[in-house]
Amino acid sequence: MLGDIFLQTWAIANQKGGVGKTTTAVNLGGLLAEKGYRVLLLDLDPQTSLTSYFGVNSDEQAFNIYHCMTHLEWDAKGLKERAILSTGVEHLSFISGSIALATIDRQLDQLQGKGFVLSKMLEKLQEYFDYVILDCPPILGILLINALAVCQRLLIPCQTEYLALKGLERMLNTVHMVAKAGKSDFIYTIIPTLFDRRTLASVKALRTMRDKYPEALWQNVIPIDTKFRDASLAHQPLNVFEPETQGTHGYRVLIKHLLQGSIKGSEAS
Ligand SMILES: Nc1ncnc2c1ncn2[C@@H]1O[C@H](COP(=O)(O)OP(=O)(O)OP(=O)(O)O)[C@@H](O)[C@H]1O
Ligand SMILES: [Mg+2]
């Protein structure tokens, strides 16, 4: 099952909202594409922020990730022709999200192997892509369970502020729960985001994270950078929109770390 998938799948998840999940998915995707890898972004969030990021209205898409997950009979060609969209950036494609994803738990409820729907779908696409990046919703449900079942890496963006630390604990509980249920072959890394070194709140939160999660925490930070908003208005990853800004630099350091031969992070089990 999972062993058959050669392409690398990274899930970006945190049950806390607004911590930089979509920003991380778009920007890691942009940087992998810049390196020449063929990248597919999946918008798994019923809010469809990633889809909007690329200037696409999910309501206007005849086929989206909901259809892909509920039509497992579609082959690779069918998936490509129906659902895979261009971001306008070379090597970077995406599948649109949908408000209908909010009902997918009910839709898949009776299905045998409902936790492996994404695994089955992505298996078909392995010839076409090198990396798949999953932008997960901030809710524990079948979409997050599917994402954790298929990924080799889980990246957990966490805003460097006090309230976000509580959300992080909840996410880590989910990780350990999934691991206990027998799925433990992904490694996870916590990514401190929206770091503002001028504020005590940011500095303190980062210190707490370093004390509490010495193994799983990436030792660098993604800084706060207003250019992220400008890049989203231009529907481009930041490395395309503004290659030299601090935010791009932050994600460049992160991608270098993630692509290093030795995989660092924590085992989920
Ligand atoms: N490093 C950053 N510096 C400045 N703004 C940022 C940064 N990261 C994210 N943002 C902004 O913060 C907001 C929330 O980010 P994003 O949408 O990536 O979070 P999210 O975790 O995906 O949220 P949701 O849970 O709603 O899906 C966006 O407006 C985004 O442009
Ligand atoms: Mg999001």
Side-chain angles (χ1 to χ4, degrees):
M1 165 200 59
L2 295 163
D4 294 334
I5 295 187
F6 299 110
L7 86 177
Q8 284 289 308
T9 304
W10 296 354
I12 319 291
N14 191 335
Q15 281 151 263
K16 175 101 174 65
V19 295
K21 294 183 290 297
T22 302
T23 303
T24 299
V26 167
N27 286 292
L28 292 180
L31 287 169
L32 286 167
E34 184 183 83
K35 290 183 181 298
Y37 292 115
R38 300 161 304 167
V39 184
L40 178 65
L41 303 172
L42 292 194
D43 187 354
L44 292 177
D45 190 346
Q47 293 181 83
T48 69
S49 307
L50 184 134
T51 306
S52 307
Y53 190 104
F54 289 110
V56 169
N57 181 346
S58 58
D59 295 339
E60 290 169 5
Q61 295 308 304
F63 299 108
N64 54 48
I65 188 66
Y66 178 86
H67 301 108
C68 298
M69 292 183 73
T70 51
H71 286 86
L72 283 179
E73 73 282 6
W74 288 356
D75 61 7
K77 193 161 166 279
L79 283 166
K80 270 192 86 178
E81 283 172 0
R82 290 183 178 101
I84 297 180
L85 305 173
S86 165
T87 62
V89 174
E90 195 182 9
H91 302 309
L92 187 62
S93 307
F94 75 109
I95 298 184
S96 167
S98 165
I99 182 79
L101 287 172
T103 67
I104 202 151
D105 283 69
R106 209 169 346 120
Q107 194 64 30
L108 298 181
D109 190 41
Q110 301 300 319
L111 187 77
Q112 270 245 317
K114 62 186 174 186
F116 297 99
V117 171
L118 272 185
S119 309
K120 287 184 189 137
M121 188 195 127
L122 292 180
E123 227 174 271
K124 297 177 203 164
L125 293 176
Q126 54 183 312
E127 263 182 61
Y128 299 108
F129 295 100
D130 302 303
Y131 284 90
V132 175
I133 298 185
L134 311 174
D135 184 21
C136 298
I139 312 153
L140 175 56
I142 198 72
L143 290 164
L144 185 54
I145 297 294
N146 265 267
L148 295 181
V150 72
C151 71
Q152 287 90 36
R153 267 193 184 281
L154 166 66
L155 301 175
I156 310 175
C158 181
Q159 186 171 353
T160 44
E161 56 124 51
Y162 175 71
L163 283 180
L165 295 176
K166 280 273 159 230
L168 178 60
E169 273 175 33
R170 210 162 44 240
M171 184 66 216
L172 293 175
N173 285 341
T174 301
V175 167
H176 295 304
M177 184 191 80
V178 171
K180 253 197 199 155
K183 164 63 202 169
S184 59
D185 50 356
F186 62 84
I187 59 157
Y188 67 91
T189 308
I190 302 164
I191 314 295
T193 56
L194 288 134
F195 180 70
D196 185 350
R197 64 189 163 81
R198 296 162 306 182
T199 69
L200 190 59
S202 245
V203 172
K204 269 183 143 175
L206 183 63
R207 204 176 296 143
T208 307
M209 286 159 92
R210 286 187 172 154
D211 287 347
K212 265 186 115 168
Y213 310 107
E215 292 293 313
L217 190 77
W218 174 50
Q219 286 303 308
N220 244 297
V221 293
I222 302 296
I224 203 153
D225 186 340
T226 54
K227 298 281 183 200
F228 281 111
R229 201 158 21 129
D230 301 339
S232 70
L233 291 173
H235 310 304
Q236 290 178 328
L238 193 55
N239 66 301
V240 174
F241 181 76
E242 192 79 58
E244 300 303 332
T245 191
Q246 277 189 59
T248 304
H249 178 70
Y251 279 106
R252 276 194 203 286
V253 175
L254 175 59
I255 203 90
K256 194 169 169 206
H257 169 80
L258 297 174
L259 294 180
Q260 270 169 8
S262 62
I263 293 191
K264 295 198 182 95
S266 285
E267 304 272 341
S269 52

